Amino acid sequence: MLALTLSGLARYHRVTKDPEVLAALSVGLDQLIDDCWSEEHQSFYLGSCIHNRHNPPPALASPTFLSAEAFAHEYALTGNEEHRRIFRAAFRTAVNSGFLDLADRKQQGQTGYNSMMFLFTPFGLSALEN
């Protein structure tokens, strides 16, 4: 839920331009990364619970897509290259996994879940540009 909240916070900042909101967005992204990012697997765990860390996070992870707008907005305003690097790596992992899942028909019947994941994705595409 943190990923979704952060993209909502990015939208709120876009309207208010409040510098404290931007600072909170950066801190929230740090928390998402600290609690859920797996550098080894280049993906986010679905939650911060440490008791499932013996399993890898899903490659097609909803936090990647739900946080897309947050990462792009924050990067555009702060130039935080580490946040951008992590988002780009997670996005690459998720999209590559999604292509494989489509070919294997693993996501068939999961249209509601997938449409929820992609709600904020278009707003994050600017962070992928060079």
Side-chain angles (χ1 to χ4, degrees):
M1 294 309 295
L2 177 58
L4 177 63
T5 301
L6 292 173
S7 283
L9 192 59
R11 289 182 176 193
Y12 181 72
H13 179 261
R14 190 173 291 115
V15 172
T16 67
K17 310 257 188 284
D18 183 338
E20 290 184 10
V21 175
L22 180 59
L25 179 59
S26 293
V27 170
L29 288 171
D30 286 339
Q31 181 181 352
L32 178 66
I33 292 164
D34 290 345
D35 289 353
C36 301
W37 175 244
S38 170
E39 188 69 35
E40 176 185 357
H41 298 99
Q42 301 286 286
S43 188
F44 288 103
Y45 285 96
L46 301 182
S48 59
C49 179
I50 61 169
H51 298 293
N52 69 349
R53 294 300 194 255
H54 61 281
N55 294 316
L60 186 61
S62 58
T64 300
F65 299 110
L66 294 175
S67 65
E69 186 169 2
F71 275 106
H73 183 73
E74 193 254 4
Y75 172 72
L77 297 174
T78 68
N80 188 322
E81 288 293 338
E82 180 63 3
H83 286 180
R84 182 179 188 220
R85 179 194 71 79
I86 288 170
F87 173 68
R88 291 176 80 172
F91 192 84
R92 186 178 314 110
T93 298
V95 168
N96 287 339
S97 176
F99 283 140
L100 294 174
D101 284 358
L102 285 172
D104 292 343
R105 297 179 174 263
K106 285 184 183 174
Q107 296 295 322
Q108 193 167 355
Q110 299 294 321
T111 54
Y113 178 73
N114 288 338
S115 64
M116 177 269 308
M117 284 199 308
F118 291 114
L119 181 63
F120 291 99
T121 305
F123 300 100
L125 296 178
S126 63
L128 301 176
E129 296 174 340
N130 285 328

